[in-house]
Amino acid sequence: MKRGPQRSLNPEAVLDAALELMDAGGLTMRALAARVGLTPGALYTYFPDRAAIVVALADRLLGEADVGLLEDGDREPHERITAFALNLRQVLMRHPAAMPSILGAAFSGPVAARVGESLLIALPDPRASYTVMVYVLGAVALEAAELDAAGPVPPEDERIAARRAAFTVDPALFPRTHAAADAIAAYISTEQFRWGLERLLSSL
């Protein structure tokens, strides 16, 4: 019996399905093929392997952030970087379960190249611009690691309150840590993210 024509898909639809699976904590090529209605072999005509899908998703999520904030010539360079970093953090934190894979990917797509170039315009020393990206992505990774992959991201104030309620140390053994409990609970806050970034930028 002659087989019918192979189903054709837009690669963006494949990436949509891949991100859904990553958000659920279970991206495999077999699961992705089933989700989009292809055979595993046919899926490889779109992306050669899982790593290529993750790289494409990393670039797409970068593109969901407003790169124009980084390129706004009417603002000071440090203001542009801070605005973009805050926006990027917001975008990435919509997908906490995907962050281990996304942040472990090679940021080598066209959007990543644009972001890198724009960051170098704002902060010309390449070592400085790399340090900023390490701070931003590292902070997002630590924040995402605390979240339940299966559920929606709770509001920030609720997450801080939960961290504070769960934080217990022996004040006799760790007096400074005990005294800093409120600040430690707020490590995942937007205020803390901005505080660290602004001080990093001022030193660069």
Side-chain angles (χ1 to χ4, degrees):
M1 181 177 176
K2 188 175 180 180
R3 298 183 65 179
Q6 178 66 57
R7 181 183 176 190
S8 177
L9 284 177
N10 185 316
E12 287 301 312
V14 177
L15 291 179
D16 287 341
L19 187 55
E20 290 172 2
L21 288 169
M22 289 183 78
D23 284 340
L27 174 61
T28 65
M29 295 299 277
R30 185 172 296 278
L32 179 57
R35 176 68 66 96
V36 297
L38 295 175
T39 64
L43 183 59
Y44 290 109
T45 65
Y46 292 87
F47 296 96
D49 52 31
R50 185 182 185 280
I53 292 172
V54 175
V55 168
L57 281 175
D59 208 56
R60 191 166 85 165
L61 288 176
L62 270 180
E64 289 183 13
D66 186 357
V67 185
L69 293 170
L70 192 55
E71 300 169 337
D72 184 358
D74 293 332
R75 306 173 79 176
E76 292 296 319
H78 288 188
E79 293 176 347
R80 303 202 302 265
I81 294 169
T82 299
F84 174 73
L86 287 165
N87 185 236
L88 178 60
R89 171 178 174 261
Q90 186 178 46
V91 168
L92 295 179
M93 285 304 298
R94 295 175 192 152
H95 307 281
M99 284 307 97
S101 294
I102 294 295
L103 298 181
F107 283 82
S108 56
V111 178
R114 178 184 170 190
V115 169
E117 181 71 13
S118 299
L119 187 56
L120 284 169
I121 292 171
L123 199 61
D125 186 335
R127 296 168 301 179
S129 62
Y130 174 74
T131 299
V132 168
M133 288 308 296
V134 168
Y135 172 82
V136 171
L137 298 179
V140 169
L142 289 172
E143 186 175 353
E146 296 190 4
L147 293 172
D148 180 0
V153 179
E156 185 175 284
D157 58 345
E158 291 183 14
R159 291 190 286 130
I160 293 171
R163 280 171 56 88
R164 182 63 184 89
F167 188 85
T168 57
V169 295
D170 186 335
L173 292 175
F174 306 104
R176 292 181 182 273
T177 303
H178 178 74
D182 289 341
I184 292 171
Y187 278 173
I188 60 167
S189 68
T190 301
E191 180 184 2
Q192 171 65 43
F193 180 85
R194 181 191 286 272
W195 186 94
L197 181 59
E198 288 177 347
R199 279 153 184 79
L200 177 62
L201 288 171
S202 68
S203 71
L204 293 173

